[in-house]
Amino acid sequence: MIPETENSPLPDREPTVTEGIKYAGSKLKIIPRILDLAGQTGARTVLDGFSGTTRVSQAFARSGYRVIANDSAVWSETFATCYLLDHRGPDHYRPLIDHLNSLEGKRGWFTERYGAEPGTGTSVGMDGLKKPWQVRNTMRLDAIREEIDRMGLDGIERSVLLTSLILALDRVDSTIGHYASYLREWSRRSFNELRLEVPRLIPASCPPAGHSVTRKDIFELLPEVEADLAYFDPPYGSNNDRMPPSRVRYGAYYHLWTSICLNDKPELFGKAMRRADSADPESGSVFEDFRKGDSGRYLVADAIERLVREVRARYVLLSYSSAGRASLEDLREILSGAGTIVHAEAIDYRLNVMSGMRWTNEWTSETKTPHREVLFLVEKCN
Ligand SMILES: C[S@@+](CC[C@H](N)C(=O)[O-])C[C@H]1O[C@@H](n2cnc3c(N)ncnc32)[C@H](O)[C@@H]1O
């Protein structure tokens, strides 16, 4: 039995070194807790089923686990390929990155749509729309993106350079951390020059190797993989009924990273110039669904139940938010139906404190407080 922790500070240990973009729901802050709990299961192989920024996958890989990273997003697959599959190391990439940094900027598809001159003081471009980057940086983006396609790279090299480009763009953006809308006033960082760096690659010798990367809907993947531990961090939507669903959809938030990876110059719509395939009827995941099913329970809760039932892993570690659609009571019911909840805790980001979880009314009301991240560790029954 894993001991319960109660109102104790988060471990005062340097979080494992990871890299990633600004991301809604990134688990950067709780990586030490995730590693502690995973360590107590004795697992060697971990499935990160919703890998997002891949920070958690990176931390698992650096800690010696064999990792299966999966996410439905194109750019997440690019990041996972960079961090988990590269075997050449940083020296191979330095000259390639230097070459990309030395290119002259040029006007192209990205500049025409996502760049504005800084001179006017606002981010509003010639077409009257707010833009996420200053024009000299989108011109560098246009030149670099075109060159990456011309360099004759293999899939891993391409992923490393694209990851480097996305990380660099994330450092000079003028957003609040997503691309569903842009700031009117330029952010301070948007005045900086776009500069690529070699990603902090994970040494290939980090045992044991043999990671794998997939880009699938999780339910398509589950019958194909087995792991000792499955870490699930699905989107949790919002329990605010007035919030339009498109506001909490990952496809809508990070459409630009997809366009940069694919360089497919897609059809766009709306003020944020989103990809047409990130529109509500096209995109979205059952985990982002805001409706209730016939049973009266949110469809999200049904999806989580299916996830835990179908995964072939002895342990499941589930991250969720107290602000999510599925209630904590739903989760407790679902998880205890699938096995034994060996550990549960809530983490308050603002106070940097975690508390052991007890199924009392008091606790349940406490966890209705927004910004609490909940972690459940379940040992499945066979
Ligand atoms: C909360 S985020 C994961 C964040 C990640 N743990 C991190 O630290 O960056 C949820 C992720 O689930 C992905 N996703 C949504 N629906 C999915 C599905 N049906 N199958 C696989 N991935 C999905 C989204 O693209 C998003 O990256």
Side-chain angles (χ1 to χ4, degrees):
M1 179 81 172
I2 293 170
E4 212 177 40
T5 39
E6 221 178 318
N7 293 327
S8 46
L10 289 169
D12 188 20
R13 136 145 83 80
E14 265 304 292
T16 306
V17 178
T18 63
E19 270 182 342
I21 50 162
K22 295 185 283 300
Y23 202 52
S26 162
K27 293 300 166 292
L28 171 62
K29 287 185 180 164
I30 61 167
I31 285 175
R33 283 305 297 148
I34 292 171
L35 291 179
D36 278 352
L37 290 169
Q40 293 172 43
T41 65
R44 308 286 301 267
T45 308
V46 182
L47 163 65
D48 184 4
F50 301 83
S51 55
T53 60
T54 73
R55 280 186 185 274
V56 177
S57 285
Q58 291 172 47
F60 276 133
R62 284 189 182 275
S63 308
Y65 293 91
R66 188 168 79 76
V67 182
I68 305 163
N70 176 69
D71 196 286
S72 50
V74 170
W75 60 268
S76 176
E77 180 190 30
T78 299
F79 270 55
T81 303
C82 162
Y83 292 108
L84 299 184
L85 303 187
D86 176 67
H87 51 277
R88 293 183 177 96
D91 289 346
H92 176 73
Y93 294 102
R94 234 159 252 132
L96 304 182
I97 298 273
D98 288 346
H99 168 64
L100 293 177
N101 276 328
S102 72
L103 296 174
E104 279 284 313
K106 60 186 276 190
R107 282 184 184 273
W109 190 85
F110 288 103
T111 300
E112 299 306 331
R113 287 149 187 89
Y114 299 107
E117 297 288 349
T120 62
T122 75
S123 73
V124 177
M126 306 284 277
D127 54 7
L129 299 175
K130 290 179 268 177
K131 304 294 174 186
W133 289 293
Q134 298 196 5
V135 76
R136 70 186 182 294
N137 284 332
T138 53
M139 286 173 65
R140 307 276 321 285
L141 160 62
D142 273 314
I144 291 169
R145 186 61 194 86
E146 191 180 285
E147 183 66 5
I148 289 175
D149 277 350
R150 268 208 298 251
M151 288 167 78
L153 306 166
D154 69 23
I156 295 175
E157 290 173 311
R158 225 175 111 78
S159 295
V160 172
L161 298 189
L162 287 172
T163 299
S164 168
L165 174 59
I166 291 173
L167 289 172
L169 285 161
D170 183 62
R171 289 193 290 267
V172 296
D173 71 340
S174 189
T175 74
I176 56 162
H178 63 67
Y179 294 81
S181 61
Y182 313 121
L183 299 171
R184 173 167 286 274
E185 304 294 322
W186 288 116
S187 70
R188 198 192 288 214
R189 63 178 174 269
S190 70
F191 290 91
N192 296 335
E193 292 298 320
L194 181 84
R195 190 161 179 80
L196 276 59
E197 283 167 16
V198 179
R200 298 177 85 146
L201 300 169
I202 301 169
S205 58
C206 231
H211 307 306
S212 59
V213 174
T214 54
R215 171 164 58 92
K216 293 196 171 182
D217 180 278
I218 189 70
F219 292 116
E220 207 185 305
L221 177 73
L222 290 183
E224 298 167 11
V225 291
E226 237 176 296
D228 301 320
L229 169 71
Y231 173 62
F232 288 140
D233 181 20
Y236 53 79
S238 160
N239 58 11
N240 179 350
D241 286 321
R242 282 165 303 177
M243 183 179 271
S246 58
R247 288 289 181 75
V248 291
R249 288 199 165 167
Y250 280 93
Y253 267 26
Y254 303 103
H255 58 98
L256 255 156
W257 302 146
T258 303
S259 296
I260 287 169
C261 287
L262 298 177
N263 202 17
D264 57 351
K265 304 180 171 56
E267 190 191 323
L268 305 173
F269 75 99
K271 289 186 177 169
M273 293 218 172
R274 275 165 50 194
R275 300 174 62 86
D277 62 12
S278 74
D280 292 350
E282 301 273 338
S283 70
S285 153
V286 64
F287 296 96
E288 295 167 337
D289 207 304
F290 57 99
R291 289 167 302 173
K292 287 186 173 167
D294 295 340
S295 63
R297 205 165 63 163
Y298 280 112
L299 292 173
V300 178
D302 294 345
I304 293 174
E305 184 163 51
R306 182 174 167 207
L307 203 57
V308 181
R309 189 178 59 240
E310 292 186 6
V311 67
R312 298 193 294 166
R314 178 164 173 201
Y315 288 97
V316 175
L317 184 58
L318 176 72
S319 275
Y320 212 65
S321 163
S322 57
R325 283 269 167 196
S327 73
L328 291 169
E329 194 48 39
D330 282 343
L331 293 180
R332 181 176 77 90
E333 227 177 85
I334 290 166
L335 298 178
S336 47
T340 313
I341 300 178
V342 289
H343 184 82
E345 72 188 48
I347 298 167
D348 189 320
Y349 279 155
R350 293 157 310 163
L351 302 178
N352 205 32
V353 156
M354 62 186 175
S355 46
M357 193 152 177
R358 296 185 193 289
W359 299 111
T360 60
N361 290 341
E362 240 170 73
W363 206 96
T364 307
S365 63
E366 190 194 0
T367 53
K368 282 197 178 119
T369 322
H371 313 302
R372 286 196 181 231
E373 191 66 41
V374 187
L375 267 177
F376 295 96
L377 181 64
V378 180
E379 184 171 6
K380 280 186 61 168
C381 41
N382 293 321

